[in-house]
Amino acid sequence: MKRTTLSVLSLSAVLLAAGFAVGQTTPKIGVGAAAPAQQKFALVATIKGAQAVREFQNNVQVLQNQRQALVDLEAAMNKEKDAKKKAKMKSDFDAQLAKLNENNALMAKTYGFSLTRNYTMEIETANIYIQVSDEEAAKIEQAVKAEQAKAKK
């Protein structure tokens, strides 16, 4: 079984409004340092089908991109000297923050997923395809049918 970890940065409206946590740090383990306690995870969603998984991954990417855009906008806003431009940026920031919070709430409702938490995605099956000629496809199809007929007996 292959485990793929989705690295998701912590985020909350309070942190966004007050200032961003740009990333998480992992404590380094040195000689004599105690090993960190094993993390516990609870199942929050099962996503069935390749299309649904792609949609979930796309939605996570959208949230992460929205979050990064807010980080960038806040940095630009903090550097801006012109009060009018800064006010416009603040207005844009507030609108984008509201949209991010709305999308994050939708993800929480749909998948039990929130940018404020860390997740592990476990891939239990994978379909691997190769490009084949018509002749190869016919041979494979015949072999599959033969195998199915054999299994029925």
Side-chain angles (χ1 to χ4, degrees), residues 23-55:
Q24 297 177 344
T25 57
T26 304
K28 304 221 181 325
I29 300 175
V31 177
Q38 184 171 349
Q39 295 178 331
K40 295 180 183 179
F41 291 90
L43 179 66
V44 293
T46 300
I47 303 169
K48 296 185 184 217
Q51 180 60 34
V53 170
R54 281 191 294 274
E55 184 178 319

Coordinates of all heavy atoms in Angstrom, one line a residue, residues 23-55:
G23 N 4.8 28.9 6.6 CA 5.0 27.5 6.5 C 5.2 26.8 7.8 O 5.2 27.5 8.9
Q24 N 5.3 25.5 7.8 CA 5.5 24.8 9.1 C 6.9 24.4 9.1 O 7.6 24.1 8.1 CB 4.6 23.6 9.1 CG 3.1 23.9 9.1 CD 2.3 22.7 9.1 OE1 2.7 21.6 8.8 NE2 1.0 22.8 9.5
T25 N 7.5 24.2 10.3 CA 8.8 23.7 10.4 C 8.7 22.3 11.1 O 7.9 22.1 11.9 CB 9.7 24.6 11.2 OG1 9.1 24.8 12.5 CG2 9.9 26.0 10.5
T26 N 9.6 21.5 10.7 CA 9.7 20.2 11.3 C 10.9 20.2 12.3 O 12.0 20.5 11.9 CB 9.9 19.1 10.3 OG1 8.8 19.2 9.3 CG2 9.9 17.7 10.9
P27 N 10.7 19.8 13.5 CA 11.8 19.8 14.5 C 12.8 18.7 14.0 O 12.5 17.7 13.6 CB 11.2 19.4 15.8 CG 9.8 18.8 15.5 CD 9.4 19.3 14.2
K28 N 14.1 19.1 14.1 CA 15.1 18.2 13.7 C 15.5 17.3 15.0 O 15.5 17.8 16.1 CB 16.4 19.0 13.3 CG 16.1 19.9 12.2 CD 17.2 19.9 11.2 CE 17.0 20.9 10.1 NZ 15.8 21.1 9.5
I29 N 15.7 16.1 14.7 CA 16.0 15.1 15.8 C 17.5 14.9 15.8 O 18.1 14.5 14.8 CB 15.3 13.8 15.5 CG1 13.8 14.0 15.5 CG2 15.7 12.8 16.6 CD1 13.0 12.7 15.2
G30 N 18.1 15.2 16.9 CA 19.6 15.1 17.0 C 19.9 14.0 18.0 O 19.0 13.4 18.6
V31 N 21.2 13.9 18.3 CA 21.6 12.9 19.3 C 21.1 13.2 20.6 O 21.2 14.4 21.1 CB 23.2 12.8 19.3 CG1 23.6 11.8 20.3 CG2 23.7 12.5 17.9
G32 N 20.4 12.3 21.3 CA 19.9 12.5 22.6 C 18.5 13.2 22.6 O 18.0 13.4 23.7
A33 N 18.0 13.6 21.4 CA 16.7 14.2 21.4 C 15.7 13.1 21.4 O 15.8 12.1 20.8 CB 16.6 15.0 20.1
A34 N 14.6 13.4 22.1 CA 13.5 12.5 22.1 C 12.8 12.4 20.8 O 12.6 13.5 20.1 CB 12.5 12.9 23.2
A35 N 12.4 11.2 20.4 CA 11.6 11.1 19.1 C 10.2 11.7 19.3 O 9.6 11.6 20.3 CB 11.5 9.6 18.7
P36 N 9.7 12.4 18.2 CA 8.4 12.9 18.4 C 7.3 11.8 18.5 O 7.5 10.7 17.9 CB 8.2 13.7 17.1 CG 9.2 13.1 16.1 CD 10.3 12.6 16.9
A37 N 6.3 12.1 19.1 CA 5.2 11.1 19.3 C 4.6 10.9 17.9 O 4.5 11.8 17.1 CB 4.1 11.6 20.2
Q38 N 4.2 9.6 17.7 CA 3.6 9.3 16.4 C 2.2 10.0 16.2 O 1.4 10.1 17.2 CB 3.3 7.8 16.3 CG 2.8 7.4 14.9 CD 2.8 5.9 14.8 OE1 3.3 5.2 15.5 NE2 2.1 5.4 13.7
Q39 N 2.0 10.6 15.1 CA 0.8 11.3 14.8 C -0.3 10.4 14.6 O -0.2 9.3 14.1 CB 1.0 12.2 13.6 CG 2.0 13.3 13.7 CD 2.1 14.1 12.4 OE1 1.9 13.6 11.3 NE2 2.5 15.3 12.6
K40 N -1.5 10.8 15.0 CA -2.7 10.0 14.9 C -3.6 10.7 13.8 O -3.7 11.9 13.8 CB -3.5 9.9 16.2 CG -2.7 9.1 17.2 CD -3.5 9.0 18.5 CE -2.7 8.3 19.6 NZ -3.4 8.2 20.8
F41 N -4.2 9.8 13.0 CA -5.1 10.4 12.0 C -6.4 9.7 12.1 O -6.5 8.5 12.5 CB -4.5 10.1 10.6 CG -3.3 10.9 10.2 CD1 -2.0 10.4 10.5 CD2 -3.4 12.1 9.6 CE1 -0.9 11.2 10.3 CE2 -2.3 12.9 9.4 CZ -1.0 12.4 9.7
A42 N -7.5 10.4 11.7 CA -8.8 9.8 11.7 C -9.4 10.0 10.3 O -9.1 11.0 9.6 CB -9.8 10.6 12.7
L43 N -10.0 8.9 9.8 CA -10.6 9.0 8.5 C -11.7 10.0 8.4 O -12.6 10.0 9.2 CB -11.2 7.6 8.1 CG -11.8 7.4 6.7 CD1 -10.8 7.6 5.6 CD2 -12.5 6.1 6.6
V44 N -11.6 10.9 7.4 CA -12.6 12.0 7.3 C -13.4 11.9 6.0 O -14.5 12.4 5.9 CB -12.1 13.4 7.4 CG1 -11.6 13.7 8.8 CG2 -11.0 13.6 6.4
A45 N -12.8 11.2 5.0 CA -13.5 11.0 3.7 C -12.9 9.9 2.9 O -11.8 9.6 3.1 CB -13.4 12.3 2.9
T46 N -13.8 9.3 2.2 CA -13.4 8.3 1.2 C -13.8 8.8 -0.2 O -15.0 9.0 -0.4 CB -14.0 6.9 1.5 OG1 -13.5 6.5 2.8 CG2 -13.6 5.9 0.4
I47 N -12.9 8.9 -1.1 CA -13.2 9.5 -2.4 C -13.1 8.3 -3.4 O -12.0 7.8 -3.5 CB -12.3 10.6 -2.7 CG1 -12.4 11.7 -1.7 CG2 -12.6 11.2 -4.1 CD1 -11.3 12.8 -1.8
K48 N -14.2 8.0 -4.1 CA -14.2 6.9 -5.0 C -14.2 7.4 -6.4 O -14.9 8.3 -6.8 CB -15.5 6.1 -4.8 CG -15.5 5.4 -3.4 CD -16.7 4.5 -3.2 CE -16.6 4.1 -1.8 NZ -17.0 2.7 -1.6
G49 N -13.3 6.8 -7.2 CA -13.2 7.1 -8.6 C -12.1 8.1 -8.9 O -11.8 9.0 -8.2
A50 N -11.4 7.8 -10.0 CA -10.3 8.6 -10.4 C -10.7 10.1 -10.7 O -10.0 11.0 -10.3 CB -9.6 8.0 -11.7
Q51 N -11.8 10.3 -11.3 CA -12.3 11.6 -11.6 C -12.5 12.4 -10.3 O -12.2 13.6 -10.1 CB -13.6 11.6 -12.4 CG -14.1 13.0 -12.8 CD -13.1 13.9 -13.5 OE1 -12.3 13.4 -14.3 NE2 -13.1 15.2 -13.3
A52 N -13.2 11.7 -9.3 CA -13.4 12.4 -8.0 C -12.1 12.7 -7.3 O -12.0 13.8 -6.6 CB -14.3 11.5 -7.1
V53 N -11.1 11.8 -7.4 CA -9.8 12.1 -6.7 C -9.2 13.3 -7.4 O -8.6 14.2 -6.7 CB -8.9 10.9 -6.8 CG1 -7.5 11.2 -6.4 CG2 -9.5 9.8 -5.9
R54 N -9.2 13.3 -8.7 CA -8.6 14.5 -9.5 C -9.3 15.8 -9.1 O -8.7 16.8 -8.9 CB -8.7 14.3 -11.0 CG -7.6 13.3 -11.5 CD -7.6 13.3 -13.0 NE -8.8 12.8 -13.7 CZ -9.0 11.5 -13.9 NH1 -8.1 10.6 -13.6 NH2 -10.1 11.1 -14.5
E55 N -10.7 15.7 -8.9 CA -11.4 16.9 -8.6 C -11.0 17.4 -7.1 O -10.8 18.6 -6.9 CB -12.9 16.6 -8.6 CG -13.8 17.8 -8.3 CD -15.3 17.5 -8.4 OE1 -15.7 16.8 -9.3 OE2 -16.0 18.0 -7.6

